[in-house]
Structure formats: structure tokens, C-alpha cells
Amino acid sequence: RGAIFDLPIAKGYYGSPAHDLSVRFHRHAPASPLGPAAGPQTQMAQNLVLAWLAGCRVMELKTVQIKDELVIPRPCIDMQTVGYNVEWSQELRLEQSVEEYVKGAMLIEILRATGKLPLAPGFDRTIYDMSVGYDLAGIQSPAIQRFIAALKDARPIVDRLRAELPAEYAQYRDLDFPTKLADTLTLSTFHGCPPDEIERILGYLLEEHQLDCNVKLNPMLLGPARLRELLHDVMGYRDIVVPDSAFTRDASWAQMRGFVDRLGTKAAALGRSFGVKFTNTLIVENRRTFFPASEKEMYLSGPPLHVLAMNLVAAFRQEFGARFAISFSAGIDRGNFADAVALGLLPVTVCSDLLQPGGYARAARYVEPLTARMTELGVRTIDGYVVKAFGQGAAGLADLTDLDDATRAACAAALAGGDVEAAAGPALLARWA
């Protein structure tokens, strides 16, 4: 039927020879800044395959924790208007989660190897970013240690699963499947993870596991006054109530500033990469009838979260400048994806919009406005697009004082020749590294 898991091949996205969408994520160069956020789109093997077919190349795997026998109410996700959910962790056992992630990566490699997809050169580069939570004791437990170790070296699982390929696909059993599935990690700090605990967890992951890390921060960092002003007065969502307890049990801005600064210093000393991600969902009171009354809180996503998270991006950059790379996930859709990429947010991940009618096929259309704007600006790379997207051009690269001598010289030579895009590469790379 010309489809995979009911997604028509023609509704996927396979790259553009005219545009290089590759980006830098820690030590990797995935072929696109787009990815599914840690959530329902990355929990099972077929989810990963569908996201990949839709053009996603940064797979933020479903967040796991030590409690892997959760009872999740049904339904657990409401996407009628604003997004709400009461499901906040994996629905599989830890061992099952690892198997799904490895199977998904193997299936993607098989699809690439078939040669039957119209992949543009280089558009197969995909990375898998593991995600864990929510406290140090759980992350140091033997079960989570095995989970992390399995994603860092999946060879035993890959070798076992090769034999499960049906006979008609036997020619793919000896493919060079990825076995170092992930060496990056995004820490989820949901449910009031204390600031000192966040710092200890990330210090442990950076040092003991030698992982490049992002920390996923929460919208409560805006503080109650600013958050409620945006939510109620600016956007008009007056019926959404954020409990005071959501702020008292979460990190303050000053606390976040402290641990991010110290972790950045630690990561640099260890030769690791460290960044932040905005944001987790927003805790709100359950005043609807969609979920059971026993669920006192639910978690908001979608368009209103986008506004809150973008305000945090602005505040964070005001605080830290370009010192830390920022990953983003909050209300991303086809209408704002190109703008998010233009802000240098990498990767840009999505969840809520893909739960709307059309599903994964919606993601395949995200790149259309991005490549159209790149063509209009006369740039081929994401670096060049970031520099020129808002009409700043050379002005955006004029201050080269924070670069090393070699990089400054390369940028200056490119700028002297009028090639802003060529200057953007080394300059942005140096500033985001």
C-alpha cells in the first residue's frame, strides 16, 4: 500500500539536496534540528520509526524512572484544545523500554539500508538522546544503572535481536546496527526535584557516566506573578489554575542560575558538554471532567506553554548570553518551527501537535516553511539561517571578541568577502560548543 505503519511514504520527509539542515547537538551532527520530545512518540519502536519517516533526526527517548510499574488512568491525554495529560513517565518496564529503543533504531537502519526511501545524501544521520528522572537515589539504583549501560552499549541486545528478523529479511541480519545507542542524556526535573538534587544528579551523570547532558527546566521558573500574568492577562486562559505548591516545590530563578553556572563549569573541566532545555509541562489543577477526579493535578502543554517557554528562553539568554546551548519543546507546530530554529534553539522537539489528526505526517510539513525561508535568504545551512533570519546579517557576527584567534580570523575573512553564511559556521560553533 506504499505505507509503513499506515503512514504513506509520500507523506514523509526525506531531506532536501538544496538545504543542509544538519545541526550540532553536543558532539553529534544530526541531519535535522527536528525531533519528537520525550513522550508518547518515542515510547515504542514503531513510534521511533514513524518519527524518523516524518523527518525527525533527534530522538529524545521517553523519560524513564525507577518506578516502572505505574498505574496510568485511562484516558491519560486530552488534546481537545489546550493539551493536558496525567501521564508523566514510562508505561513499560525498564527492560522493555530498552528493547523498544534498540528495536526502533534497528528498524530505522533497515529502512535506510533498503534503498527504497528517497533519502537526500546525509539525511540519515540520527541520534538518540536518553532521558531519565527524577531523583538521585532512583538514578543511582541498579535498575537505572543497567538502563544507562544498555543504551551506551547495546551490543548484546542487538546481537540477540538479529536472529528475530524473519527469513525474508535475512539479508539485513548482518547490518552494522548502532550499538552505542546514546551517549547524551536529558534530565527531567519534573515534580519538584530540589535544586541541590538536580545539581548532584547532573554532576554524577557528567562525571561517573561521562555523558553529555541537558537539564530540562520547568515553567515555574518564571515565578508566580509573571507566569500568571502571561497565562491569565496576556493569553486570557483565566480558567487555568496553577497551584501555589507548584512554585514552592520547584527551583527558583536564583537557584537555577547557581546550579547551571556551576554545572557548566564542571562540565567544561571534565571535557563534557552541558546545556538546558525549556520546558517541562506546567502543573495545573484538574478542574475538568475528562480525567478522574482522583487526579488532583494535570500537566498543561501546547500553545500556552509555548509562550511561557519562549519567555524563559529570553530571560535565560539575558542571564547567560550564548554560554549554553538551548534545546526547546513547548507548543511547537508548523507555524512556529522555523522561528524556533531561527533563534538557534537546537534541537526543537514536538509532542502535542503530533497528537492531533494527521499524527506524524504533520511533522513532515514542518520543514517546508523553514526551507522556503532559507531559500529566500539565500542560505543553505542552519548556521547561515540563524544569522540572517531576522535581518541582522553581519551585525550578528560583528562582536568577535569572545572567539579564539583562529576562529576570529576565519570569521573576519569570510565577513570581509561578504559571505555571512561562511562566517556563521565557525562563529556559532565556537559560541555554542
Side-chain angles (χ1 to χ4, degrees), residues 150 152-160 162 176-180:
K152 291 175 68 177
D153 182 8
R155 191 176 305 277
I157 302 173
V158 168
D159 289 342
R160 173 169 52 80
R162 291 180 193 271
D176 187 20
F177 293 113
T179 54
K180 188 176 184 178

Side-chain angles (χ1 to χ4, degrees), residues 302-367:
L305 187 64
H306 182 82
V307 175
L308 302 179
M310 279 296 180
N311 272 266
L312 278 170
V313 167
F316 187 85
R317 282 192 166 157
Q318 183 70 27
E319 182 79 45
F320 288 105
R323 180 181 173 189
F324 297 103
I326 302 176
S327 174
F328 190 86
S329 179
I332 288 294
D333 57 28
R334 185 175 183 268
N336 57 35
F337 174 69
D339 281 334
V341 174
L343 293 174
L345 306 176
L346 302 169
V348 177
T349 63
V350 59
C351 176
S352 297
D353 187 57
L354 303 189
L355 296 172
Q356 299 288 348
Y360 294 90
R362 298 172 71 92
R365 300 189 62 213
Y366 283 18
V367 176

Side-chain angles (χ1 to χ4, degrees), residues 348-386:
V348 177
T349 63
V350 59
C351 176
S352 297
D353 187 57
L354 303 189
L355 296 172
Q356 299 288 348
Y360 294 90
R362 298 172 71 92
R365 300 189 62 213
Y366 283 18
V367 176
E368 293 172 2
L370 172 61
T371 54
R373 289 177 63 181
M374 291 174 70
T375 299
E376 181 182 350
L377 292 168
V379 297
R380 184 175 180 272
T381 67
I382 294 297
D383 280 351
Y385 171 67
V386 169

Side-chain angles (χ1 to χ4, degrees), residues 24 381-385 387 397 403 407 410-411 414 419-432:
R24 181 181 175 87
T381 67
I382 294 297
D383 280 351
Y385 171 67
V387 171
L397 294 170
L403 305 181
T407 302
C411 291
D419 193 345
V420 173
E421 186 171 13
L428 295 181
L429 185 64
R431 285 173 172 166
W432 294 345

Side-chain angles (χ1 to χ4, degrees), residues 247-294:
F247 299 96
T248 58
R249 64 189 190 232
D250 204 67
S252 67
W253 185 268
Q255 290 169 325
M256 180 278 295
R257 180 199 302 125
F259 70 68
V260 165
D261 177 67
R262 291 188 295 272
L263 286 166
T265 301
K266 175 183 277 291
L270 294 169
R272 308 312 313 175
S273 174
F274 174 73
V276 302
K277 180 161 192 174
F278 292 111
T279 69
N280 272 312
T281 50
L282 175 66
I283 297 174
V284 300
E285 292 182 2
N286 179 17
R287 297 191 174 189
R288 299 163 66 87
T289 59
F290 190 87
F291 301 125
S294 58

